[in-house]
Amino acid sequence: MRLDVVTIFPEYLEPLNVSLVGKARARGQLQVGVHDLRNWTYDRHHTVDDTPYGGGPGMVMKTEPWGDALDEVLADGYEAGAHGPVLVVPTPSGRPFTQELAVELSERPWLVFTPARYEGIDRRVVDEYATRMPVYEVSIGDYVLAGGEAAVLVVTEAVARLLPGVLGNAESHRDDSFAPGTMANLLEGPVHTKPPVWRGRGIPEVLLSGHHGRIARWRRDEALRRTTAHRPDLIGRTAPAAFDKKDREMLSILGWAPDPEGERYGRFWRRVEDVEE
Ligand code: JBE
């Protein structure tokens, strides 16, 4: 896979040299180009932003540097043999970046990222490149960052670990929380390792029992416990068929029941205390 990032803060992308992504690069599984947007400014002050039409606070990133940068980065990539680029635009007004989208992007041969500072990029830039390639406007969460660079790091790491051979163990994806599929998407429960006692704290006995069936059940129950506590939305929208009898027992203990009323709009479970409202 080839990655290009155009940014006014190339040094912000230094983490791409480290850890999993850095190793994938070193092994040649990932080609990364980081490009300084200001290389495509021609005035003394290397201006990349201007005041918004229609008024309002903040500044908007200008069309010309982005257009010239993207034209050159794309031309150089094609020249180097890359093909099938998609544009990935991190923005708080994008669609949510999910594991499903990470899988989709990991299947593309070439990602071009355009992280913006200020109030974002002049709309005409996205509209222009959308006529030439798929454009994904993505948000990594409902909070406001100072710019899209951190989101590029997030998306890159989520995508890179899915590339063939990067993680080593192909099994490790199937169990990922949020892995797409028909199974219930549950958060993973607690994990433990040696020593067996630390500051007076032991290990749940079942994990030392060697009884694989009971261990799997305990892990499933802990996953249900954690998911109901932290992500009730994930439980609510899980089809009843994704839970077995023991799951239902545990859900009942945790105060969850089937919601026949909600089924019409994809809410299959509700908290029992919500009943008498
Ligand atoms: O999620 N994002 O991609 C963002 C980009 C820029 C600013 N805030 C964000 N949340």
Side-chain angles (χ1 to χ4, degrees):
M1 173 179 276
R2 180 186 176 99
L3 297 180
D4 286 287
V5 187
V6 181
T7 171
I8 59 169
F9 291 121
E11 63 277 25
Y12 206 118
L13 282 302
E14 276 296 306
L16 295 179
N17 294 318
V18 180
S19 186
L20 175 130
V21 174
K23 280 184 199 135
R25 285 176 82 171
R27 288 199 211 103
Q29 293 162 326
L30 203 59
Q31 285 81 49
V32 179
V34 177
H35 315 274
D36 189 340
L37 180 67
R38 292 192 202 273
N39 291 341
W40 290 275
T41 55
Y42 308 101
D43 63 312
R44 234 161 43 83
H45 296 105
H46 301 287
T47 309
V48 293
D49 61 333
D50 205 338
T51 55
Y53 276 120
M59 298 292 272
V60 174
M61 297 191 91
K62 293 164 65 61
T63 50
E64 299 99 319
W66 280 109
D68 291 351
L70 289 172
D71 284 351
E72 191 166 330
V73 165
L74 288 166
D76 289 353
Y78 283 120
E79 186 89 12
H83 64 99
V86 302
L87 197 63
V88 183
V89 185
T91 164
S93 39
R95 63 198 257 209
F97 180 66
T98 59
Q99 188 65 23
E100 197 176 355
L101 192 46
V103 169
E104 188 175 328
L105 292 178
S106 75
E107 290 163 352
R108 302 290 313 204
W110 185 9
L111 308 180
V112 180
F113 291 94
T114 59
R117 294 266 143 179
Y118 315 108
E119 299 297 312
I121 306 172
D122 187 308
R123 184 70 217 171
R124 293 170 291 177
V125 174
V126 166
D127 291 346
E128 167 74 9
Y129 289 90
T131 67
R132 304 189 209 170
M133 66 190 74
V135 175
Y136 293 77
E137 292 182 90
V138 301
S139 165
I140 62 162
D142 292 339
Y143 36 77
V144 180
L145 302 169
E149 284 77 5
V152 172
L153 295 176
V154 167
V155 172
T156 299
E157 187 158 320
V159 168
R161 64 184 286 286
L162 297 174
L163 297 177
V166 168
L167 256 198
N169 179 6
E171 284 283 323
S172 35
H173 300 312
R174 206 201 41 221
D175 293 343
D176 288 352
S177 290
F178 313 115
T182 50
M183 290 218 328
N185 282 155
L186 300 179
L187 304 184
E188 275 162 35
V191 294
H192 305 81
T193 185
K194 290 168 275 296
V197 180
W198 179 73
R199 298 189 183 177
R201 297 167 186 275
I203 306 292
E205 235 176 68
V206 60
L207 297 180
L208 307 172
S209 70
H211 197 299
H212 298 301
R214 266 186 236 149
I215 291 171
R217 187 63 249 169
W218 181 85
R219 287 191 170 145
R220 182 85 176 168
D221 287 346
E222 291 302 310
L224 287 165
R225 202 187 290 285
R226 216 174 160 80
T227 310
T228 53
H230 292 173
R231 293 295 304 279
D233 59 306
L234 292 180
I235 299 287
R237 66 170 111 104
T238 300
F243 291 128
D244 66 17
K245 187 152 172 286
K246 293 266 174 57
D247 291 339
R248 289 151 201 270
E249 267 171 41
M250 187 63 189
L251 284 169
S252 170
I253 290 167
L254 294 168
W256 285 75
D259 182 2
E261 286 298 295
E263 258 185 58
R264 275 171 292 121
Y265 47 97
R267 181 177 180 250
F268 299 102
W269 300 85
R270 54 164 174 66
R271 305 237 29 191
V272 174
E273 57 201 44
D274 294 344
V275 186
E276 292 115 327
E277 279 184 305

